[in-house]
Amino acid sequence: MAGSDIARPGGRRKKAAGQENVLFDRELASLPPALRWREWMNRVEAVIFASAIPVDRATLARVVGQECNIDLIIDDIREELRGRPFDLVAVAGGWHHRTRSSYAPAIRASGTTTQPMAGFNQQEAIVLIAIGYFQPVTRGELSTMFGKEVSRDTIASLREAKLITSGPRSPTPGAPYTYVTTPAFLSTFGFDTLRDLPDIEMLEDSGLLNRKRVADDPDMNGTSPTEDDEDD
């Protein structure tokens, strides 16, 4: 017994995992092609529907056969969802169920608390978007963009929500911290990659951001960062 799988630490868990892999039929070779494809579609949609975060390709590959084309599966599911109030969207390197934007007014009117950013005020949301555009960016640079100080509390709130994290130190004197977005940021705003961010001119036209202030501010060209920036 000493040399058996059960006697070794973790042996039972490994054996159970191996049995589960054997029992779960990914290939579905006994089914006709049409029924096999339908079952793969159902599995993929069920996994995405059950997940609180976007589901990546590697995760979906665990429930379908080796010859299954996941991109085609997603296309077929989305085709069936035409006319429904929700869709499968590519976000943060995976796929997620999302309500179509045309139904946002109805959701807001219902008073249902479903928005990921519902707990943030407008300033925090705009600062987050600015970090998305300009990352890696320091708190001092953000303050210059807005023409007023971005507080440490605002940065702390976004960090606590795991929407931003520390980036590389700035190469400016004093080497203040910079901030960058996380995969949770992409998921929250429904972006697959940062390339999906809308044109920054939209924010500038609204007066929320001002890149020219950054270029004209002498503090961005060699002045030491504030004490707050150094110990963020």
Side-chain angles (χ1 to χ4, degrees):
M1 181 69 73
S4 69
D5 221 13
I6 296 178
R8 291 196 297 269
R12 289 179 179 171
R13 290 193 297 271
K14 292 179 181 178
K15 186 173 182 179
Q19 289 175 339
E20 182 179 353
N21 288 336
V22 171
L23 293 174
F24 186 78
D25 183 4
R26 293 175 174 81
E27 301 300 331
L28 302 175
S30 62
L31 295 180
L35 291 180
R36 182 186 311 133
W37 189 260
R38 167 54 60 184
E39 178 61 17
W40 283 342
M41 286 176 60
N42 290 343
R43 289 179 178 183
V44 166
E45 187 169 14
V47 170
I48 296 174
F49 184 83
S51 178
I53 61 175
V55 181
D56 61 21
R57 186 181 303 272
T59 300
L60 296 177
R62 298 175 192 149
V63 300
V64 298
Q66 292 184 356
E67 296 183 0
C68 177
N69 187 313
I70 292 176
D71 291 315
L72 293 181
I73 286 281
I74 295 293
D75 287 345
D76 283 357
I77 294 173
R78 296 193 68 193
E79 182 63 29
E80 290 192 349
L81 291 177
R82 286 183 180 273
R84 304 295 300 276
F86 50 86
D87 192 10
L88 286 188
V89 296
V91 289
W95 290 276
H96 208 206
H97 271 103
R98 292 291 171 91
T99 305
R100 297 185 189 276
S101 58
S102 58
Y103 290 92
I107 294 172
R108 287 195 295 269
S110 74
T112 302
T113 304
T114 58
Q115 297 297 325
M117 293 296 291
F120 293 100
N121 58 41
Q122 183 178 16
Q123 179 186 1
E124 289 168 337
I126 294 300
V127 168
L128 177 59
I129 291 294
I131 294 173
Y133 280 114
F134 293 102
Q135 61 186 300
V137 60
T138 67
R139 190 168 66 87
E141 290 169 334
L142 290 169
S143 297
T144 300
M145 292 177 202
F146 291 103
K148 59 182 179 180
E149 182 182 10
V150 172
S151 73
R152 296 177 65 189
D153 288 342
T154 295
I155 296 296
S157 178
L158 297 176
R159 286 176 64 99
E160 184 177 354
K162 301 188 185 304
L163 296 173
I164 66 170
T165 189
S166 295
R169 291 274 191 167
S170 172
T172 58
Y177 283 104
T178 65
Y179 299 98
V180 296
T181 56
T182 65
F185 164 82
L186 296 175
S187 178
T188 296
F189 287 94
F191 300 134
D192 190 20
T193 71
L194 291 173
R195 292 190 297 273
D196 296 329
L197 284 167
D199 291 339
I200 195 171
E201 283 76 13
M202 294 174 59
L203 293 183
E204 292 192 306
D205 290 345
S206 69
L208 294 173
L209 291 181
N210 191 330
R211 283 182 290 182
K212 187 175 185 299
R213 286 199 187 115
V214 177
D216 293 343
D217 189 343
D219 290 341
M220 296 297 104
N221 297 302
T223 302
S224 297
T226 67
E227 181 179 350
D228 283 348
D229 280 332
E230 290 188 289
D231 61 11
D232 272 340

